[in-house]
Amino acid sequence: MRGSQIRIAAAQPACTSGDLGGNGRAHAEAVQAAESRVVVFPELSLTGYELDADPVRCDDPALTPLVDACTAAGSVALAGAVVAEGEHRFIAMLAVDSTGVRVVYRKTWLGGREPQRFRAGDGPTVLELDGWRLGLGICKDTGAAQHIAGTAALRVDAYLAGLVHRPEELPEQEARAVVIARTCQSFVVFAGFAGPTGDVYTETAGCSAIWSPSGLAIARTGPEVGGIARATLI
């Protein structure tokens, strides 16, 4: 049985490509500001949407400020980064808390030029926290019917994803959230990238949001860098 409630935030901090230290500090500031048990960050939030970014090591000292912020706040940060495992690279979600940093999810549905550089992950997964079952996704995963059905089969209480979308893709972002909420019968938390980043993303949408299991938006932020959407889920 899940816990009685959990406070979750979706944050869209400033990101400078190639500056892991600066991005880690920006994430730490967002964790402090969010005052939430879980803080979800956009796809590749620590590296920028740079397909040739150097992989991030979980023991990199540049992540220490983020670990310290999570420790002080009692938070779990779910941040995006390129990671390497053996000869393969993945677009990954890192969980950061008082114990350190670990990979908890690898993007399964790759798009654009991603398949040329990255390996697909193993599919739907659940992060269990405080009695809550949290399904995880990254960007294109949120539009893949197979991924959504597989996540629903895991009986999740909430679905959390980091995104990079262009402003004109906001209607699709909204539609995907509603489908996921109703299919999984769960809350949905999308953290959207804000500000310019790599590849085709000279502009990004931001507009992170949280939806109820009925598909009703219960918290939103705008397109601006630094925005945070937060809600207490019951």
Side-chain angles (χ1 to χ4, degrees):
M1 179 180 295
R2 74 189 189 194
S4 59
Q5 63 182 38
I6 189 169
R7 187 164 175 81
I8 297 185
Q12 45 196 55
C15 177
T16 301
S17 297
D19 184 8
L20 180 60
N23 296 336
R25 290 189 293 274
H27 280 57
E29 292 170 1
V31 166
Q32 293 167 346
E35 299 181 330
S36 297
R37 180 68 171 115
V38 182
V39 185
V40 186
F41 290 94
E43 179 179 20
L44 296 179
S45 59
L46 286 166
T47 58
Y49 190 83
E50 306 291 343
L51 302 187
D52 59 352
D54 291 333
V56 174
R57 302 190 327 272
C58 289
D59 62 353
D60 195 309
L63 299 179
T64 299
L66 180 53
V67 174
D68 290 345
C70 289
T71 301
S75 298
V76 178
L78 298 177
V82 173
V83 301
E85 297 176 10
E87 62 182 15
H88 301 296
R89 293 190 177 197
F90 297 88
I91 295 174
M93 181 181 286
L94 307 180
V96 185
D97 60 17
S98 61
T99 67
V101 183
R102 66 191 188 280
V103 177
V104 289
Y105 180 71
R106 300 160 188 83
K107 186 175 183 179
T108 303
W109 293 86
L110 304 176
R113 297 189 299 118
E114 294 170 356
Q116 301 169 27
R117 304 193 65 88
F118 301 103
R119 185 170 184 172
D122 295 329
T125 191
V126 166
L127 174 65
E128 296 195 36
L129 182 68
D130 300 346
W132 284 71
R133 292 175 60 80
L134 307 176
L136 306 176
I138 299 175
C139 210
K140 191 173 181 179
D141 293 330
T142 65
Q146 184 176 340
H147 178 84
I148 298 167
T151 303
L154 297 176
R155 301 178 65 84
V156 299
D157 301 305
Y159 179 97
L160 319 180
L163 316 174
V164 179
H165 281 157
R166 294 185 294 273
E168 62 269 25
E169 295 174 317
L170 276 173
E172 175 66 16
Q173 178 173 308
E174 183 85 15
R176 289 181 181 186
V178 173
V179 168
I180 293 170
R182 293 175 178 173
T183 302
C184 295
Q185 298 180 27
S186 72
F187 294 95
V188 175
V189 182
F190 280 177
F193 207 104
T197 188
D199 201 54
V200 299
Y201 297 102
T202 55
E203 291 183 86
T204 57
C207 294
S208 300
I210 301 172
W211 290 263
S212 73
S214 67
L216 175 68
I218 55 178
R220 293 185 185 274
T221 191
E224 69 280 355
V225 171
I228 301 174
R230 54 177 75 78
T232 299
L233 312 186
I234 299 175

